[in-house]
Amino acid sequence: MIVPPFTCPEHNRQILLVERPVGIPQPEHFRLSETRRGLPQDGQILVRNLYLSVDPAQRGWAADVQNYSATVALNSVMRALGVGVVIESRLPSICPGDIVYGWTGWQDYCCLDASGVLTHVRDPDIAVSSYAGILGINGMTAWLALERLGRPKTGETVLVSTAAGAVGSVVGQLARAEGCRTLGITGSDDKAALCVGRFGYDVAFNYKAPGWLDELDAAAPHGIDIFFDSVGGEILDSAIRRMRTAGRIVQCGTASIASWDPPPAGLRNEREVLSRRLSWNGFVIFDHGADFPAAITRLEALIRNGRLVYDEDVDNGIEAAPDALRRLYAGENTGKKLIFIG
Amino acid sequence: MIVPPFTCPEHNRQILLVERPVGIPQPEHFRLSETRRGLPQDGQILVRNLYLSVDPAQRGWAADVQNYSATVALNSVMRALGVGVVIESRLPSICPGDIVYGWTGWQDYCCLDASGVLTHVRDPDIAVSSYAGILGINGMTAWLALERLGRPKTGETVLVSTAAGAVGSVVGQLARAEGCRTLGITGSDDKAALCVGRFGYDVAFNYKAPGWLDELDAAAPHGIDIFFDSVGGEILDSAIRRMRTAGRIVQCGTASIASWDPPPAGLRNEREVLSRRLSWNGFVIFDHGADFPAAITRLEALIRNGRLVYDEDVDNGIEAAPDALRRLYAGENTGKKLIFIG
């Protein structure tokens, strides 16, 4: 485990949410601020954050519409996951020097109680940053949602949107390991090449290229058994009309929809659900905290054996976080988006 | 078992599909014709039909769009289920005098092989017509779809569309028997009263009345656990936005949509699937033929014990069938729609 050197000053830089975004958060909705770092109370740890995570889910946390979690209050630290090193612990189960992954927020330091820690690692021989990505909610979403809701079987055809992304690139590899034919959708020719060349997809499509649906039809002449979707919208409408009988749609995100307020219109899909006997399920990783340790163990083993590759796209400096989120939605990242602040 | 008296003439009246409907089939899409009745081949039975079934699914069978079953050819007998008495048998397992429920078509006589028989009853002490309704695909859909896809638990809130209909009226009673709170949606104040007074719904709503959604909100302040839907459209859009986390939508029909060609637009629902972690499943009863005998046994027991009531709405004469189908879609039926031709 390599923990970069750091100093421990008294000040704590924070990215505050200062304006409520409608749709995709933009840099102007945030402001860099500075305060004194807090002191851990009984039952808390003080964490020096190393990698801050940039996740599509942050749009929902910042928005003022009903969601699976409370809205981030204006002028408070932007909610975020991150990986950090424990500096001081008033929690018996965690020692100074341990690495934790949890609800750090976009800031240099945080005080967490046990509920704020998702993963706790004492002696990893895997890069610390991994715990904020492939061994964080991204990899765990891929593993748990595919296994539980996708239920892949050998020989099935699995279509993945955001196929080169932090979740999709893992889904493709896991599905392939299950003996499935894997088809990836992504937003550029370069990323499509990455899907095939690096993540082992059988075929990948650039959805911005005209005629990509014809390519999809040629690649999946009998239709799709599992659609692992993180984008929704027109790509979903196209995929649902190509599902095989008894197919499964795993809904992990709706990144293609710029704003849900008001809800946009689209094709009605209930007839597809009925006539194809689909099972269309929503997945939110935070329902599955109890399964994280087992999922991490499994993914760690695949990584150690070289059977699971992943990419990280790291920016430097806390001030880079807001624009990194914008670029994530613009599809400009290559792999798991992280901010290194160690 | 009461089998009405009948003669066995040589001629066979048939309702032919003569024009391809777009949307709801209307009487002008059909024509009454007459032919000589067929002779059963080896492995077939000759059936004198008694009750012809009128089902929402017939729209899909008559339409020229992709569906779960082949399209009825123009100028051939309209596909339909029905109950009849076996006149002659060249199938070892079935005797003359037996009652069968199966793919009779809208006609006086039919020759069926074993695959055309869904249910075979030798000595029922339940009315013959029941086997075309509550003990036919309607009751079996209610039972199997609710149990397998709805998975009701005591104390949950179950919302049912077409709550007074042949499927919905059974779903409401079965869900109530499981200890659920049952809410019904129907198309008139009279039917809403029937839902509560006869089928035991806790509350029922007339969706044509202004303010019915406010009533629904008052009746389900914490939301809906199971939505058993046979209509789709705006009622589905309203219900999905009231689902509780981990709720289940059982899609058994899309009767409210006049035409799927071209597919109509509506609210996008993928965000609801995701953020509420819904499980939205399509159900087609014909996938579940192997489970019919067990389901019938269970429903027969409930009927005998007086724990399951049902209504039939019977028209007389084969020529009444086309208009009966139109009226079914117009919501003008009261209970399972049948045509008596015995």
Side-chain angles (χ1 to χ4, degrees), chain A residues 253-336:
Chain A
T254 61
S256 77
I257 305 294
S259 171
W260 284 103
D261 183 19
L267 293 182
R268 286 207 165 279
N269 287 325
E270 55 266 39
R271 184 175 175 281
E272 308 305 323
V273 173
L274 171 62
S275 64
R276 297 171 195 270
R277 291 80 136 185
L278 302 182
S279 181
W280 185 0
N281 290 269
F283 185 88
V284 172
I285 187 63
F286 303 109
D287 299 341
H288 301 270
D291 300 312
F292 283 15
I296 288 178
T297 300
R298 179 65 191 255
L299 292 173
E300 280 177 337
L302 291 171
I303 292 171
R304 283 203 195 90
N305 297 339
R307 293 179 57 199
L308 195 52
V309 299
Y310 61 100
D311 288 333
E312 293 173 349
D313 178 348
V314 183
D315 290 345
N316 281 298
I318 194 169
E319 63 282 3
D323 197 52
L325 184 59
R326 178 194 64 75
R327 285 190 290 125
L328 183 73
Y329 274 103
E332 295 173 12
N333 60 306
T334 55
K336 171 62 189 173

Side-chain angles (χ1 to χ4, degrees), chain A residues 65-68 229 231-234 236-237 241 245 251-254 256-257 260 263-284 286-287, chain B residues 65-68 229 231-234 236-237 241 245 251-254 256-257 260 263-284 286-287:
Chain A
V65 284
Q66 194 195 347
N67 206 304
Y68 56 84
D229 185 32
V231 301
E234 288 180 20
L236 170 69
D237 290 345
R241 285 165 176 75
T245 299
Q251 197 74 50
C252 281
T254 61
S256 77
I257 305 294
W260 284 103
L267 293 182
R268 286 207 165 279
N269 287 325
E270 55 266 39
R271 184 175 175 281
E272 308 305 323
V273 173
L274 171 62
S275 64
R276 297 171 195 270
R277 291 80 136 185
L278 302 182
S279 181
W280 185 0
N281 290 269
F283 185 88
V284 172
F286 303 109
D287 299 341
Chain B
V65 283
Q66 194 195 349
N67 206 302
Y68 56 84
D229 185 32
V231 302
E234 288 179 20
L236 170 68
D237 291 344
R241 286 165 175 73
T245 299
Q251 198 73 49
C252 281
T254 60
S256 77
I257 305 294
W260 284 102
L267 292 183
R268 287 208 165 278
N269 286 325
E270 56 265 40
R271 184 174 175 279
E272 307 305 322
V273 173
L274 171 62
S275 64
R276 297 170 195 273
R277 290 82 136 183
L278 301 182
S279 182
W280 186 0
N281 291 269
F283 184 89
V284 172
F286 304 109
D287 298 341

Side-chain angles (χ1 to χ4, degrees), chain A residues 18-29:
Chain A
V18 294
E19 205 177 306
R20 185 72 63 200
V22 175
I24 311 297
Q26 301 295 323
E28 61 265 29
H29 298 122

